[in-house]
Amino acid sequence: MHRRTAIELLLTRPALAARWCGLDRLTDGLHGIWLRDMIAGRDDMTLLAHRGSYKTTCLAFSMTAMLLLYPTKNIIFLRKTDEDVVEVLRQVKMLLRTDAMQYLSACIYDEPVQLLRSDMYTVHTTCFSAPRGASQLLGLGTLGSLTGKHADIVLTDDIVNLHDRSSGTERRRIRGVYQELQNIRNPGGRIINTGTPWHPEDAISLMPNVRRYDCWRTGLLSEGKLKALQRSMTPSLFAANYELKHIAAEEALFGQRPPEDGDPLLLRDGMAHIDAAYGGSDFTALTCGRIDGHHAFLYGRLWRKPVDAVMDEIITECDRLQCAPILCETNGDKGYVARELRRRGAAVRTYTEQTNKHIKIGTWLRKWWPDAVFIKGTDRAYIDQILDYTPDAAHDDAPDSAACLLRAMDRHG
C-alpha cells in the first residue's frame, strides 16, 4: 500500500481500519461518521451517545490514528478519574501494536511506528516530531493539575457522570475544569467531547456543536435488550443513560420536578422526620416540612453517612428552620436514634411503622407532590432520589422520609 493510500484510509475510511485492528463492532454507517469527524474535523465537536454505543472505543482509535497522522501535534486526553484514563490509554497502546496499525504506519513512515517511551499516563512514539517538550499524548483525570499544560487537540470522555447528577458541588467543579480547557488549547486547536448528559446544569451544557445519538436512533440495541435495561433501572436513569434525557419516564410516580424557591420562614412551627442509615450504602435523610392550606412546604437533606455522623447537623438544621418535634421510627433501632437526639436536647416523637413503604409513598407523598414547594437549600440529590423512586429503586430514603412526615402532618389523610 502506498503512503498516500494509507493516509487516505485513516482519514476517509477509519471504521474499516478499526476493524482491521480487531474492533469488529464498529460500523461504517454510524461509527465511520464519528471517527471521520474526530480524526479529520477542524471544529470543536460534542458527541453524546448512549451507553454501549462504542463512543469511547471510537475515541481510543481516533487517538491512535492521530498519533500517526499528526506527528507534530500534542494531544491531551481527559477523563473523570486517573483510573479511567489508564484504561483508555492502555487500549491506545494495544491498537498501536496491532499488525494492521504496524502495517499502516510502515506505509506512512517506511518503518513501523513504535512506542518510544510510555507510562500509565503518557504515550510517545517514534514518529513524534513536535518542537515543544510536551508529551505527544498525555492523559489526565479531572482532579489533576491543568496549570501550564497546552495541547493542539484536547479530548474529553465521560467527564460528567452519575456524581454530577446528584452533587451540585461536583457539577460546579467539572464546569470549571471544562472552562479551563479553553486556556489549555493552543491557537487553532480543537476540543472533542464525548459523553452522556446527567443534569441540565452539568458541564455538557457548556459544550458546543452537540450531536445526539440516543438508543432509538443508533439501532445498536435490540428491542428485547432495551426492555431488559428498562426493567433493571429506574426510569430517570434509563432516560439519562439511553435516551439522553433529564426527565423521568411516564411510569415514574413523581415525574414533575416541583419549584425550589420557597422561603425558609415558611417552615416555622413545622415538623421534621429522620430516615436513619446505620452504614453500608444507605443514606440518612432529613425532611422538614409544614402544610399550609393547599401547599406542602418541604426541605430535604441527604447524607451518605450513618446517622451518628450527622446528628448534630440534623439538630442544627431543625433549630434553624424552627421545626419540632423530630419524628423517629423505632422498628429497626429500638429507639436508639430518639434517645441520642433527646440526650442532645432535641424534641423527639417516636412511632412504630406498620404501613408498607410503597403504599405509604404512593399515598401521602404522591398526594402532596403536585402542591409541594421545596425550600431554598434543599439537596438536589434528595429531590432526584424522589424523582427516581420506583418499588425496585436501589435507594428510597428521601421519599420514605417525606412520606412519613406528610402523613403525620396531613390532618385529612
Side-chain angles (χ1 to χ4, degrees):
M1 184 183 292
H2 294 295
R3 178 176 185 272
R4 181 167 182 169
T5 304
I7 293 174
E8 287 182 351
L9 177 70
L10 289 173
L11 290 172
T12 63
R13 300 196 65 189
L16 174 61
R19 291 195 294 274
W20 287 358
C21 294
L23 304 178
D24 298 330
R25 295 184 179 274
L26 300 190
T27 64
D28 292 316
L30 178 67
H31 303 111
I33 295 173
W34 297 356
L35 288 165
R36 284 195 299 273
D37 289 344
M38 290 177 186
I39 297 169
R42 295 184 177 181
D43 299 324
D44 291 355
M45 67 171 285
T46 303
L47 172 65
L48 304 184
H50 63 83
R51 299 294 177 189
S53 60
Y54 305 109
K55 59 183 181 294
T56 300
T57 301
C58 288
L59 201 64
F61 183 81
S62 295
M63 284 189 283
T64 308
M66 289 174 184
L67 293 174
L68 302 182
L69 295 172
Y70 311 126
T72 63
K73 292 187 177 182
N74 302 101
I75 304 169
I76 284 180
F77 172 60
L78 195 72
R79 289 198 96 188
K80 191 75 160 182
T81 68
D82 291 348
E83 293 78 9
D84 296 335
V85 170
V86 171
E87 175 189 353
V88 177
L89 290 193
R90 186 184 301 119
Q91 186 175 16
V92 170
K93 296 170 190 175
M94 291 175 61
L95 288 169
L96 194 61
R97 294 189 183 105
T98 60
D99 292 341
M101 200 58 79
Q102 288 287 285
Y103 171 72
L104 291 173
S105 65
C107 294
I108 297 172
Y109 293 101
D110 296 329
E111 60 182 16
V113 169
Q114 306 292 335
L115 288 171
L116 184 61
R117 65 181 188 276
S118 68
D119 55 34
M120 291 192 298
Y121 303 106
T122 61
V123 176
H124 292 262
T125 69
T126 51
C127 71
F128 185 46
S129 58
R132 299 180 295 273
S135 304
Q136 184 176 13
L137 171 58
L138 171 65
L140 294 170
T142 58
L143 289 173
S145 174
L146 294 174
T147 304
K149 305 290 194 306
H150 294 282
D152 301 297
I153 302 172
V154 179
L155 305 103
T156 76
D157 180 46
D158 286 333
I159 61 172
V160 172
N161 64 13
L162 181 60
H163 193 192
D164 299 73
R165 184 172 185 270
S166 59
S167 171
T169 301
E170 181 68 4
R171 287 195 297 274
R172 289 188 291 272
R173 185 182 76 82
I174 296 300
R175 285 171 67 94
V177 169
Y178 181 75
Q179 290 168 333
E180 179 64 18
L181 294 181
Q182 312 308 315
N183 301 322
I184 300 303
R185 159 180 40 191
N186 289 325
R190 63 191 298 238
I191 299 177
I192 302 169
N193 307 293
T194 65
T196 304
W198 283 99
H199 190 277
E201 299 173 1
D202 61 29
I204 285 177
S205 65
L206 304 174
M207 297 176 181
N209 303 328
V210 175
R211 306 169 196 184
R212 293 177 180 268
Y213 291 83
D214 62 32
C215 61
W216 313 111
R217 179 179 178 184
T218 64
L220 294 173
L221 301 174
S222 68
E223 184 177 348
K225 177 64 174 178
L226 288 172
K227 287 182 178 179
L229 288 168
Q230 284 178 306
R231 289 192 298 268
S232 69
M233 64 187 69
T234 63
S236 62
L237 285 179
F238 180 82
N241 276 283
Y242 294 93
E243 297 180 305
L244 310 182
K245 296 178 181 179
H246 300 296
I247 59 173
E250 292 180 359
E251 59 266 28
L253 286 178
F254 309 103
Q256 184 71 26
R257 184 178 289 273
E260 300 174 49
D261 57 0
D263 192 305
L265 290 175
L266 292 168
L267 294 180
R268 184 173 181 175
D269 298 327
M271 300 171 63
H273 178 275
I274 295 176
D275 188 281
Y278 302 96
S281 61
D282 288 336
F283 293 81
T284 293
L286 167 69
T287 307
C288 296
R290 187 172 72 89
I291 290 177
D292 186 6
H294 298 293
H295 290 287
F297 298 100
L298 299 172
Y299 173 83
R301 294 292 309 277
L302 202 61
W303 298 272
R304 197 160 201 163
K305 298 178 181 178
V307 66
D308 304 84
V310 293
M311 277 193 185
D312 291 335
E313 193 171 352
I314 287 172
I315 293 172
T316 299
E317 288 284 66
C318 293
D319 289 345
R320 176 179 70 88
L321 298 170
Q322 301 182 63
C323 288
I326 303 174
L327 303 179
C328 296
E329 176 191 327
T330 59
N331 295 48
D333 66 358
K334 308 302 181 184
Y336 163 74
V337 172
R339 289 193 299 273
E340 280 297 304
L341 291 172
R342 284 179 179 137
R343 188 177 65 81
R344 302 179 193 210
V348 177
R349 181 190 300 172
T350 60
Y351 69 97
T352 302
E353 186 58 73
Q354 298 177 332
T355 306
N356 173 273
K357 184 182 296 186
H358 181 59
I359 293 175
K360 179 174 49 179
I361 294 171
T363 302
W364 281 280
L365 183 53
R366 183 166 178 138
K367 170 186 173 180
W368 284 100
W369 192 252
D371 300 308
V373 177
F374 276 89
I375 302 302
K376 296 174 184 176
T378 292
D379 288 345
R380 199 62 180 259
Y382 177 98
I383 299 176
D384 287 341
Q385 198 177 93
I386 295 176
L387 293 172
D388 284 346
Y389 175 75
T390 69
D392 301 318
H395 299 288
D396 52 21
D397 313 281
D400 189 24
S401 178
C404 290
L405 182 63
L406 288 167
R407 177 182 59 183
M409 296 189 300
D410 188 351
R411 297 181 181 179
H412 306 288

